[in-house]
Each structure stands twice: as structure tokens, then as C-alpha cells.
Amino acid sequence: MAVLKSIFAFITSLIISLCITLDIPCYPMGKKLDMDKFKETFSDEFDGELNRNVWSGHYQYGNTTVDRKGSYWNQYLAQTKDGNLIIPVTYLEDGMGGKGAGWYSAGIDTDSDSPDGFSQKFGYFECRCILPEGADIWSAFWLMNSGVFNEDGNGRDGTEIDIFESDRFDNFPKNSITSNLHFDGYNDAHQKLGAKCFLLKNDPYKEYNTYGLEWNENEYIFYINGVETFRTDFGGVSQNEEYMILSVEMKGENGIPSQRENAPADDAYFIVDYVKAYQYK
């Protein structure tokens, strides 16, 4: 029996490696997450009003609206309701926060701009959510720090870690997410892993799933519903604290969606049940 398990694990590892190498979308097939080695350090289940001492606007300050690709961001569109965080994607004819008509959403983070902001080095980070439905819409749960902008040839001082991005609604296969890494800023020196695509066994636009990252000094390990999707040490692995971000945007430029004819007819919603972080015991 032990031999059969070893053979099965080896074959599974080969399949995962092949899918990753060839960029073939696949279901999570790796090891199950071991939560016994962690202790909880952060939890927001979004009961009551959104705690804006913890969550502030990501590159938005006060009630000011900023361009975000094919949409606009205003942090006050992020609200809680019935024990969930709701970040809408909505068309505002009259605009908001100094901007005119267009599609509006929000990005919020736990950076030190918030009085009770939260950052952590290493551990496990998880979000349980329902993805916003519609062409061009792009929600994400990711980690970030200022070291990402350092152009020094590696990501050890800071890496943008995209635990998941839901940017494939109008692509095949639809019920999938991607994960990615970025470092060395966002100009000519920018380096990235290249998005890895994974399939969901349910409809993630109507049902909850969990998306997680285990991060230690040697590697990043990504999970969907507690099952490993892939692991990597690309960039050398960030060795500095990073904060968490929840965001929704639309593909495009200067507040104009890239596929205006396919823009959603109705509002869409990023529904987040909780965000949690854990540290190694």
C-alpha cells in the first residue's frame, strides 16, 4: 500500500509539473493543507461595519477616486452586509469622488496607512469568497510591500504575490483562476512568473471557495480549498513583511473598459466571507 501511495504521489507530481510547464489549466491535485502547524494572527469575518482602521484604500486616500485600468476606484464603495464584505462593480452615471461617468469599484488593503494595519512575513493567508461575474471584471486577493518597486534583480526584498486573480470570465475555461508573482517594479526591469491557471470544481461566481498561500523563507505554496495547486521559489522568495489586498477592477485603460460592448448589463459583486492569516507555531 505504501508503495502504491508513493507511485500515485509521484505520478500526480509529474502531472502537476507538466501542466505548470505547458500552462495547461488543471484542477488542484497536490497535498492537502496542514493547518496544525499554524496559529491565527489575523481574522476579519466582516461582521458589523467595515473596520476602516484596518482596511484603507489601496492607492486611494479619503473620498478621492482614482483611475484603475478600465474602471475607477473609490474605497467607500467597499461595504459590509450580512456578514460579508461586498465590493461592487457598478456604473455611476454621475461619477464619484471627482471623476465622471464610468464603471466604479474599489481596492482596499491592510497597509500601515491604516491605524490598525496588518503586515506579516511568512505563514498562511486565506480568503473565502464568491467572484464577481462579468466580462472584463478582475477581482484579486494579493500581498504587497514597497520593496516590490526596487529594481535589484530579485524579489527577496518584496514580491507582489497574487494568491488568486479572477480574470478569465470571458475566456476558456471560465470557471478558473490564475496565480502570479511580480517584482522589480512595473517598468522595463519588471519580472513576473507568468500566470498559472487552475480550475474550480464548482461555479466560483455563485459559490464560495477558499484561496490560500503558504509562504516560508524557501518557497510559495498556493492552495484552492485546502488543496495545493503549485509551489515555486521564483524570484528568490520575499523575506520582508507584506500586507493583504482585496480588489476589483475592469480591464482597459484610463477608466474605459477594453471590451465596452461586453461590459456587464448589471452590477457585479465580489463577496468576501472572511480573510485570515496565520503564522507558523
Side-chain angles (χ1 to χ4, degrees):
M1 182 63 71
V3 173
L4 288 176
K5 286 184 177 180
S6 297
I7 293 173
F8 178 76
F10 177 72
I11 293 173
T12 300
S13 178
L14 283 180
I15 293 172
I16 293 173
S17 297
L18 183 63
C19 289
I20 295 298
T21 301
L22 299 178
D23 287 330
I24 299 172
C26 62
Y27 291 104
M29 293 185 290
K31 296 179 180 179
K32 290 186 177 180
L33 177 65
D34 176 15
M35 290 301 299
D36 289 341
K37 59 186 175 183
F38 298 110
K39 60 181 180 181
E40 188 176 276
T41 53
F42 177 94
S43 177
D44 198 336
E45 300 186 13
F46 302 110
D47 296 321
E49 292 186 11
L50 179 62
N51 188 343
R52 298 190 185 275
N53 285 330
V54 174
W55 298 95
S56 60
H58 187 58
Y59 303 143
Q60 311 137 74
Y61 304 96
N63 193 36
T64 301
T65 293
V66 299
D67 294 14
R68 182 66 180 187
K69 297 184 180 177
S71 54
Y72 300 106
W73 270 358
N74 187 297
Q75 64 173 312
Y76 289 102
L77 284 174
Q79 302 282 343
T80 54
K81 182 180 180 181
D82 299 329
N84 289 289
L85 170 70
I86 310 294
I87 303 180
V89 182
T90 185
Y91 190 85
L92 298 180
E93 190 70 44
D94 296 329
M96 180 181 186
K99 297 288 185 178
W103 288 95
Y104 281 73
S105 193
I108 56 175
D109 66 37
T110 63
D111 193 9
S112 57
D113 290 337
S114 305
D116 298 322
F118 175 86
S119 296
Q120 181 172 290
K121 179 175 74 172
F122 306 149
Y124 179 68
F125 305 80
E126 184 176 86
C127 170
R128 183 174 187 261
C129 60
I130 297 174
L131 309 181
E133 186 173 15
D136 269 356
I137 298 175
W138 188 330
S139 65
F141 174 48
W142 42 307
L143 305 184
M144 185 76 172
N145 73 3
S146 60
V148 174
F149 296 93
N150 295 337
E151 298 180 0
D152 54 9
N154 68 75
R156 290 178 60 82
D157 48 357
T159 295
E160 176 191 319
I161 309 170
D162 300 323
I163 299 173
F164 89 82
E165 298 178 277
S166 68
D167 56 345
R168 300 184 59 85
F169 179 83
D170 48 350
N171 296 97
F172 178 82
K174 185 176 77 169
N175 289 348
S176 62
I177 58 92
T178 58
S179 300
N180 204 349
L181 302 171
H182 302 263
F183 59 88
D184 276 3
Y186 299 94
N187 297 314
D188 292 342
H190 172 243
Q191 299 190 56
K192 66 178 180 179
L193 176 64
K196 306 303 178 183
C197 183
F198 297 94
L199 304 170
L200 280 296
K201 294 182 179 179
N202 60 13
D203 184 345
Y205 306 100
K206 300 186 184 304
E207 300 175 71
Y208 287 102
N209 291 280
T210 63
Y211 306 93
L213 170 80
E214 182 176 351
W215 163 31
N216 58 51
E217 62 182 358
N218 299 313
E219 63 185 350
Y220 307 110
I221 310 170
F222 295 81
Y223 295 88
I224 296 176
N225 295 322
V227 178
E228 181 184 332
T229 55
F230 79 109
R231 59 180 64 200
T232 182
D233 61 358
F234 180 77
V237 182
S238 175
Q239 303 293 307
N240 291 329
E241 290 187 352
E242 304 210 7
Y243 56 87
M244 299 181 290
I245 309 168
L246 295 166
S247 62
V248 189
E249 60 203 61
M250 295 188 73
K251 299 176 185 177
E253 293 182 341
N254 304 316
I256 301 173
S258 58
Q259 303 179 65
R260 297 186 70 176
E261 68 278 9
N262 292 328
D266 299 311
D267 293 350
Y269 302 93
F270 184 25
I271 303 172
V272 182
D273 179 35
Y274 66 70
V275 171
K276 296 185 179 183
Y278 303 80
Q279 189 53 273
Y280 292 103
K281 291 180 180 177

